[in-house]
Amino acid sequence: MKPFRIEIPQADLDDLNRRIAGARWPEHLPDTGWDRGVPTAYLKELAEYWRTSYDWRAAEAELNRYPQFTTELDGANVHFLHVRSPEPTAKALLITHGWPGSVAEFTKVIGPLTDPRAHGADPADAFHLVIPSIPGYGFSGPTPQTGWDLMRVAQAWAELMSRLGYEHYITQGGDFGAPISILTGLVDPGHVAGVHLNMLATTPSEDPADLENLTEVEQARLAHAERFNTELSGTMKLHSTRPHTVSYALTDSPVGQLAYIVEKFKDWTDSDRVPEDAVDRDQLLTIVTIYWLTATAGSSNQTYYESAAQLPINLPVGRYPAIEPPMGVAVFPHAAFVAIRRYAERDFPTIVHWSEYDRGGHYAAMEEPDLFVEDVRAFGRLVKND
C-alpha cells in the first residue's frame, strides 16, 4: 500500500477551463424546463461558474486532509481514504459510492463518524472509515480489464479490509455501493458484522398477492420505480449495452460530462428547481471535476455492462441472495429507488434496523449528512464488534 496525495497539474486545469470556454452549444432548444434533460440556460450558467468561480484547489486540499492510499487488488489499482478514529473502541466501516459518485460524496460525514466526541456525540459511536474508489472510478483510475462486475468488487473489498487488519467491519452503501455492500456480506460473512444501506431496490414477485392490500405510500413507491424504468433509466440502459460509445463524448467535452452528471443529481435528489436545491454546488462540481481529470467516464460506465443482469431494471432476475450478517436500511423518499419494507424483509430476513425519512434522496451523505450519520450510528449500536 502506497500513500497517495491528489496533485493535479495546473496544465490540466488550464486545459479544462479552455475547453469550457470554447464549448460548442446547441442552438434553439425548446425551453421545457428539465422535461427533456438539462436546460441550456442553466447549464451555460453552471459551466461558466465552473470555469470562473469554482476552486478545484480548495476541493483538492479538502480531500488531502484525509489519509489516502493506493494498492493493487486483483490486478486493478484501487485508491481509498483510510481515516482512523481517535477512539480505541471504534468499529470499522467500509463505505462504497456508486455512479456517478465519488469518495468526495462523504466529506461532510467523515468528521462526525470518526470523531463523534468532537461533534457533541457519544464517542461509543465512533468508526474507523475505509472509503475506496471503485476500480475504474476517480483516483483508482481507468482499468483496461473487463470482468469488474459487482461481485468482483465485493471480493476485492474483502481482501482490502483483510490487508488493513480489520477482523470485523460494517459495510455501507447506496447506488452501486448498496449491492456491493450486500455482496461483500455474502462473500465475507465471517468478517462482515453488518450491512447498512441508504438505497435498496425492491420489487414485487410474480405472486399476485404481492400487489394486494398495498398502502398509498407503497403504491406511490411502485409508481416511482416505474417512472425510473420508463423515463429516468436511459443512462443505465445505454451503459449496460453500449458503454463505449458515449465515453468518447464524455471524455472529450467537459460540458458534456457536466450535463451528464448534473442530470442525475436533479433526477435522483430531493430537489425542486435545480440540483443545488439538494446538494452543495461546489461539492457537486468536485465530483464532476474528478471524473473529468481522471478520464474515468468510460471505465466507470463499464460497471453497468458487467453487471447488467443485476441492475434494478432487470429485477427480479438479478435479485441479490439473502445474506448472513444483520442489515439496516435507511429509506430516503427521493432516491432513485425507494424500498418497500414488506418486499425487503421477504428478500432479506436479517434486516434488524429500518428507518424512513421525510426528506433526502439518492446522495444521502451529501443531501442530509446529519440524518445519514445518525442512522449509521443507530445501526452500529446494534452490531457486535467482535
Side-chain angles (χ1 to χ4, degrees):
M1 294 187 181
K2 300 177 181 178
F4 179 83
R5 183 176 177 82
I6 305 168
E7 295 178 324
I8 299 299
Q10 184 60 40
D12 290 358
L13 301 179
D14 293 342
D15 176 66
L16 169 61
N17 290 336
R18 177 185 61 79
R19 287 170 180 264
I20 297 172
R24 183 170 178 245
W25 294 90
E27 297 293 335
H28 306 301
L29 293 182
D31 183 5
T32 58
W34 289 81
D35 289 345
R36 303 188 187 201
V38 184
T40 305
Y42 167 80
L43 193 65
K44 283 185 174 181
E45 188 275 327
L46 182 60
E48 184 63 10
Y49 177 89
W50 191 15
R51 186 179 72 86
T52 61
S53 300
Y54 169 75
D55 187 353
W56 165 257
R57 292 303 184 196
E60 187 178 68
E62 169 70 12
L63 289 168
N64 282 333
R65 289 176 52 208
Y66 307 111
Q68 299 171 73
F69 303 86
T70 59
T71 192
E72 183 179 305
L73 294 168
D74 194 13
N77 182 67
V78 173
H79 159 264
F80 62 98
L81 278 62
H82 186 198
V83 189
R84 295 277 298 177
S85 170
E87 303 297 338
T89 60
K91 299 178 173 71
L93 180 66
L94 170 64
I95 302 180
T96 306
H97 65 83
W99 182 93
S102 160
V103 298
E105 288 179 49
F106 305 107
T107 53
K108 292 180 180 178
V109 303
I110 291 174
L113 287 173
T114 57
D115 195 0
R117 187 193 302 268
H119 292 79
D122 188 345
D125 288 333
F127 294 95
H128 303 303
L129 297 184
V130 179
I131 310 176
S133 300
I134 298 171
Y137 289 69
F139 296 107
S140 287
T143 174
Q145 300 172 324
T146 60
W148 274 101
D149 62 5
L150 302 180
M151 178 63 81
R152 187 172 176 183
V153 177
Q155 292 167 335
W157 281 188
E159 172 63 21
L160 174 62
M161 297 305 281
S162 175
R163 289 188 195 178
L164 291 173
Y166 290 115
E167 185 67 21
H168 297 97
Y169 59 97
I170 297 169
T171 63
Q172 198 291 321
D175 195 84
F176 275 138
I180 290 170
S181 296
I182 293 169
L183 292 171
T184 306
L186 180 70
V187 301
D188 198 21
H191 300 99
V192 174
V195 175
H196 181 274
L197 311 175
N198 58 277
M199 189 209 78
L200 179 62
T202 56
T203 58
S205 70
E206 296 179 358
D207 184 351
D210 264 7
L211 296 175
E212 294 178 356
N213 302 315
L214 295 176
T215 67
E216 289 186 9
V217 170
E218 291 170 335
Q219 291 176 21
R221 290 180 183 178
L222 284 179
H224 183 82
E226 180 61 23
R227 179 172 180 253
F228 178 90
N229 287 338
T230 58
E231 181 183 343
L232 304 181
S233 60
T235 51
M236 180 179 291
K237 293 171 182 175
L238 176 60
H239 296 177
S240 63
T241 56
R242 296 293 187 271
H244 282 14
T245 306
V246 70
S247 302
Y248 305 113
L250 298 179
T251 306
D252 187 59
S253 167
V255 169
Q257 180 70 92
L258 178 65
Y260 210 63
I261 291 179
V262 162
E263 181 189 85
K264 302 302 108 184
F265 277 82
K266 174 61 172 67
D267 288 343
W268 298 348
T269 61
D270 189 359
S271 61
D272 182 19
R273 299 172 299 103
V274 293
E276 295 93 317
D277 293 337
V279 299
D280 178 80
R281 170 176 276 203
D282 284 358
Q283 192 175 18
L284 170 56
L285 287 172
T286 294
I287 291 173
V288 177
T289 306
I290 288 172
Y291 275 87
W292 174 261
L293 294 174
T294 59
T296 50
S299 52
S300 64
N301 291 353
Q302 307 301 316
T303 312
Y304 289 87
Y305 187 90
E306 300 289 358
S307 305
Q310 298 172 322
L311 296 176
I313 56 174
N314 293 325
L315 290 174
V317 175
R319 182 175 288 130
Y320 299 99
I323 59 175
E324 295 179 24
M327 291 181 60
V329 180
V331 180
F332 292 89
H334 297 279
F337 291 90
V338 186
I340 295 176
R341 186 168 187 172
R342 67 172 77 184
Y343 301 153
E345 292 179 335
R346 174 202 63 203
D347 295 342
F348 299 103
T350 61
I351 290 176
V352 298
H353 170 83
W354 186 275
S355 299
E356 299 201 6
Y357 296 101
D358 61 1
R359 64 185 189 276
H362 205 64
Y363 303 92
M366 294 175 65
E367 296 180 65
E368 300 292 345
D370 292 344
L371 296 181
F372 178 90
V373 166
E374 185 47 47
D375 208 88
V376 171
R377 288 173 177 167
F379 179 66
R381 296 179 199 124
L382 302 176
V383 175
K384 293 182 179 180
N385 202 29
D386 52 25

